[in-house]
Amino acid sequence: MTDIGEWQGGVGRSWADEHARTDRSFSRMTPHLLAAIHEEQARYVVDIGCGAGELSLALARGRPDAMVTGVDVSADLVAAASARAAGLENVRFAVADASTWQPEQAPDLYVSRHGVMFFPEPPAAFAHLSAIAAPGARIVFSCFRTPRENRWASGIASLLPESGASVSNPSPTSADPFAPGPFAFADPDHVRTCLRGWRDVTFTPVDFDYIAGAGPDAVAEALAFFGRIGPAARAIRVMSEAERPAFLERLANLLESHRSGDVVSFPAAVWLVRATAE
Ligand SMILES: C[S@@+](CC[C@H](N)C(=O)[O-])C[C@H]1O[C@@H](n2cnc3c(N)ncnc32)[C@H](O)[C@@H]1O
């Protein structure tokens, strides 16, 4: 579970600091999402949970005739996104909760790279997004499929000491599979329920290599990344000093077993979800 308060605080700060590595981790998936987005017409695009803005910036550059707004609850991430947008006229960023935010004009396209699984009340959030949208507006977003299909997550979960796994739900195999978090939208039936009031809901699976680290010391790179972002970072925060060295050693071994040359990567799997507002 990752709640809004965490994104507004330290988790958002870590993502802002690590945006180059997070963009790299998704680099084999983002082109699929952008291709799906470019199939849609749009004059005013809203990027939900835009983070440090890679998707917003790519859209603004690829569609100079469209306006793009990235919305995120983290002031640190919006500051990082704004700094990266220098010189681009058709993109702006807002610190706001997208589930209640009021735009100045009606969006005709919503996009999101893994930003919509953190709504505490997804049906209400998607109903709001539909209500403020232009008639027939579209949404295109990516979200992880199951932890089993995302070996970076299931691999980390298998390394967690008992105490770490039981505190604050760092495990992706949490008791409540629909709690806000990276895997909350793994089940298409649940996503359809959240998108009630939207029509033409489709799911396209994309499998890709999730890049955890790269370069001459790819394992150290990946360790630095996983130490700040995601379930390993959360576990490290909550586990005892005594548990930490053994966990880091197990993590380094896992990363080494997924290293090929100068890249550490894991099999990963997402849905590309598309729908139309009523
Ligand atoms: C997994 S990150 C993805 C960030 C970015 N889209 C990317 O691909 O790098 C999820 C993002 O959603 C944001 N977020 C979570 N809940 C939100 C909400 N209710 N409204 C707007 N942003 C939200 C977080 O602050 C975070 O930046």
Side-chain angles (χ1 to χ4, degrees), residues 158-245:
S158 72
L159 305 179
L160 292 171
E162 281 304 307
S163 59
S166 61
V167 180
S168 311
N169 177 25
S171 166
T173 52
S174 131
D176 176 4
F178 305 135
F183 297 99
F185 279 10
D187 176 1
D189 288 340
H190 174 65
V191 178
R192 279 183 204 284
T193 305
C194 297
L195 283 166
R196 63 175 173 256
W198 292 69
R199 59 185 162 82
D200 309 330
V201 183
T202 64
F203 296 83
T204 306
V206 173
D207 297 325
F208 68 105
D209 285 334
Y210 180 92
I211 310 295
D217 198 348
V219 169
E221 258 283 303
L223 258 182
F225 180 46
F226 280 179
R228 298 217 58 205
I229 299 286
R234 179 180 287 266
I236 289 165
R237 281 198 300 278
V238 299
M239 73 183 51
S240 70
E241 290 280 330
E243 288 169 325
R244 208 164 285 157

Side-chain angles (χ1 to χ4, degrees), residues 4 7 15 49-51 72-74 77 96-98 113-115 118-119:
I4 283 183
W7 284 116
W15 274 70
C50 63
D72 203 285
V73 289
S74 161
L77 278 163
D97 180 343
R113 186 178 74 179
H114 289 51
F118 302 95
F119 292 135

